[in-house]
Amino acid sequence: MGRNHEVTVSQHLLDENGELREPGWSRRLVQKYDRSMIKAPKWRIKEWDYYLILSDSFAGAFTISDDGYIGLQSVSLLEFGDNPWEHTETVLNAFPMGRINLPSDSDIGPTKYMDKRLRMKFDAGNGKRRIRCRFDNFCEGKPFECDIVLDQPDMDTMVIATPWDKRHAFYYNHKINCMRASGYMKYDGKTYEFNPKTDFGTLDWGRGVWTYDNTWYWGSGNADIDGNSFGFNIGYGFGNTSAASENVIFYNGAAHKLDDIEFHIPEDSYMNPWKFTSSDGRFEMDFVPVFDRAACLDYKVIVSDQHQVFGRMSGKAILDDGKVINVRNIMCFAEKVHNRY
């Protein structure tokens, strides 16, 4: 089942008909995204930058997005202690349709959003990424603020270009794992400090034209294992993945490509233990949930049922050369999301 076509040629992502030139995966953003080459209506174009910065006991998530007929700008603060707690605050914009001006390349910035209540900016360059935010009246009338720096050395990442089985529909996605995090978040008199020895950030950079009704599965995590950076990106449901999956292990800056991964989610509860299995035997994990960040929106035309489950992963990952990486209780997340939008 080796769906592992690697794209290595620098070229425009889309051809003159607005279709993907070369579906597949790559280690860097070698294909060039150009919004003006899209043939679908503006209101069908979806663009976002999403950062998750995760420690063993807390996390922050930051989204700037332009989804055509709606913009969603959100900040989440999560605690995983004895009494797990989460708050997500979202600003909605009607029909932005490109006006938020998200960059066409994941390595340039800034990505920014500003209104009277929320100021958020993502910078990229010089081997670093910086996330700054001030959100007034974030929760219970109190503000949230952060200044976080992610270290991005020269390393492999995961890029996937997948078509949908519909004309002019595609998904172009860049996931960057293993960025060591420093800096802070502040809310309600408490400061959350990130430690680059143990804490990491992940970028999910997405551009594309989606079909209306989709269910996807995504999991991601990072850890320092005996001084080595380790990360993984697993998932499916993002269009026709016959050319390549997005399943990758990262170890000390190198990507190790996997075949198919299956999420085994308990039918009775997202909070019961999960399993992950792989068609090539190289990613076998147990997952013990700690917190389900569930969100359900139903505006009839726009429906979203999301379960982003944070928990601890244990098991084994096998690199290209056969080396076995033993994973023990690393904090990560896995999600199932159903959208009609």
Side-chain angles (χ1 to χ4, degrees), residues 188-255:
D188 193 19
K190 186 172 179 179
T191 300
Y192 303 81
E193 293 263 3
F194 290 105
N195 177 354
K197 289 183 178 175
T198 55
D199 304 338
F200 293 85
T202 299
L203 169 65
D204 172 18
W205 182 93
R207 305 288 186 267
V209 175
W210 286 60
T211 49
Y212 173 63
D213 193 329
N214 302 286
T215 299
W216 78 64
Y217 301 80
W218 178 37
S220 181
N222 305 293
D224 184 291
I225 299 179
D226 301 325
N228 303 290
S229 66
F230 169 82
F232 65 87
N233 184 83
I234 55 176
Y236 49 97
F238 304 94
N240 180 341
T241 55
S242 59
S245 77
E246 65 165 62
N247 302 316
V248 180
I249 300 166
F250 301 97
Y251 191 69
N252 283 339

